[in-house]
């Protein structure tokens, strides 16, 4: 659990910093670069510790799920708003809980209450007193990002391949899928200044390799349903970090939402 919580903190910090130095980099440039540079950084580990033949097909699916989670999330926030996209993606623990119930798994009442509280808290924290914004297409993208994130966590549960090697293979899949987009926007990549490359480097190391590596390390032994719920600490961390870094004070609804998410995570502890 601690590894997933640390990953959520780093994701939240990256989100708080994004408003300061990533506004000039469009997603069509940022996401392919994120995949490609993360893959190149992890490639020596993949070559040194290649995954077993038994787990390679599963790692391919992990890579497809990770690619879907990232792509559909950015499509969702483009078609709706950042708040709507984040909230919809973090429906993942609810989807995994529903799947567990359909399979006949007996979940304690406190766990179900915890998921409900966390979702209510995410709405209060991310959306606030307003309402979700976006048409059917944007909502569909958001739901697909939630399904992809849920699959990413579920497929990663119990992997024997070292986490950074697993992530290397997954980002390799993402690199191949996003390569045409990267080539199409190559002039924009070459036009990035030193500050832009610094932002990309930060996102690659501290927004991708380290937190996703920690998430994979945690989900090896921590069930996907609980791991995705703990990952909901990301918007809590983002709101807290945004206060000193971006000058965004915590509103009453954000404080209430954060408290509900923490309560939901606590109720789902093992």
């Amino acid at each position: 659990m601690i590894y997933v919580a640390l990953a959520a903190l780093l994701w939240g910090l990256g989100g708080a910093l994004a408003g300061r130095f990533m506004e000039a980099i469009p997603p069509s440039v940022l996401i392919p670069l994120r995949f490609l540079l993360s893959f190149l950084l992890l490639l020596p580990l993949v070559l040194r510790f290649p995954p077993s033949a038994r787990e390679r097909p599963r790692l391919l699916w992990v890579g497809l799920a990770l690619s879907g989670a990232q792509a559909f999330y950015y499509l969702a926030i483009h078609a709706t708003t950042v708040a709507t996209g984040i909230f919809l993606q973090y429906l993942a623990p609810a989807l995994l809980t529903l799947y567990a119930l359909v399979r006949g798994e007996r979940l304690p009442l406190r766990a179900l209450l915890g998921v409900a509280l966390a979702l209510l808290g995410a709405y209060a924290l991310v959306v606030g007193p307003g309402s979700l914004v976006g048409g059917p297409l944007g909502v569909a993208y958001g739901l697909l990002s939630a399904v992809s994130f849920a699959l990413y966590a579920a497929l990663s549960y119990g992997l024997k391949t070292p986490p950074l090697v697993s992530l290397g293979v997954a980002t390799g899949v993402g690199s191949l899928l996003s390569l045409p987009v990267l080539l199409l926007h190559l002039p924009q990549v070459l036009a990035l200044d030193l500050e832009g490359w610094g932002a990309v480097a930060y996102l690659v190391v501290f927004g991708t390799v380290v937190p996703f590596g920690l998430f994979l390390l945690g989900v090896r032994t921590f069930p996907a349903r609980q791991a995705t719920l703990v990952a909901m600490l990301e918007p809590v961390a983002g709101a807290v970090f945004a206060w000193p870094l971006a000058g965004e004070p915590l509103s009453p609804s954000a404080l209430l939402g954060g408290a509900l998410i923490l309560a939901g995570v606590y109720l789902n502890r093992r």
Side-chain angles (χ1 to χ4, degrees):
M1 177 175 176
I2 186 64
Y3 296 118
V4 179
L6 288 173
L9 289 176
L10 286 172
W11 284 328
L13 177 59
L17 289 171
R20 298 191 64 178
F21 54 61
M22 294 182 190
E23 290 181 352
I25 308 176
S28 56
V29 172
L30 187 58
I31 296 306
L33 275 180
R34 180 182 184 182
F35 276 123
L36 179 60
L37 296 179
S38 297
F39 171 65
L40 293 176
L41 187 62
L42 295 169
L43 182 58
L45 284 176
V46 177
L47 296 176
R48 178 67 179 83
F49 306 101
S52 66
R54 181 180 180 181
E55 287 202 334
R56 287 173 191 170
R58 185 175 169 189
L59 288 172
L60 174 62
W61 285 107
V62 169
L64 290 172
L66 176 61
S67 301
Q70 293 295 304
F72 288 126
Y73 168 71
Y74 278 97
L75 286 171
I77 64 176
H78 179 72
T80 58
T81 64
V82 174
T84 300
I86 291 175
F87 176 75
L88 291 174
Q89 186 176 65
Y90 277 109
L91 290 176
L95 295 177
L96 289 167
T97 299
L98 180 62
Y99 177 67
L101 292 174
V102 170
R103 291 182 58 192
E105 185 177 341
R106 296 178 63 86
L107 299 177
L109 181 60
R110 64 175 177 81
L112 299 177
L113 177 61
V115 172
L117 286 176
L119 289 177
L120 181 61
Y123 186 91
L125 173 64
V126 176
V127 182
S131 60
L132 293 175
V133 177
L137 183 60
V139 172
Y141 285 143
L143 292 175
L144 285 171
S145 74
V147 171
S148 299
F149 185 40
L151 285 172
Y152 173 69
L155 291 167
S156 301
Y157 177 59
L159 277 173
K160 303 301 181 185
T161 303
L164 290 180
V165 175
S166 301
L167 183 60
V169 175
T171 53
V173 173
S175 298
L176 287 175
L177 292 175
S178 62
L179 185 59
V181 178
L182 182 65
L183 294 176
L184 185 64
H185 294 87
L186 192 58
Q188 291 173 276
V189 174
L190 298 176
L192 288 175
D193 57 15
L194 187 60
E195 183 180 1
W197 281 111
V200 171
Y202 175 89
L203 184 61
V204 167
V205 177
F206 296 105
T208 307
V209 173
V210 175
F212 275 103
L214 287 168
F215 183 85
L216 286 171
L217 183 60
V219 85
R220 284 161 69 97
T221 57
F222 199 57
R225 182 184 64 81
Q226 292 169 298
T228 53
L229 189 67
V230 174
M232 290 180 73
L233 293 174
E234 177 191 350
V236 180
V240 172
F241 286 131
W243 188 6
L245 295 176
E248 299 178 6
L250 291 169
S251 65
S253 62
L255 290 171
L256 173 62
L260 290 173
I261 291 174
L262 291 174
V265 172
Y266 178 78
L267 288 173
N268 275 268
R269 72 194 188 283
R270 291 205 290 181

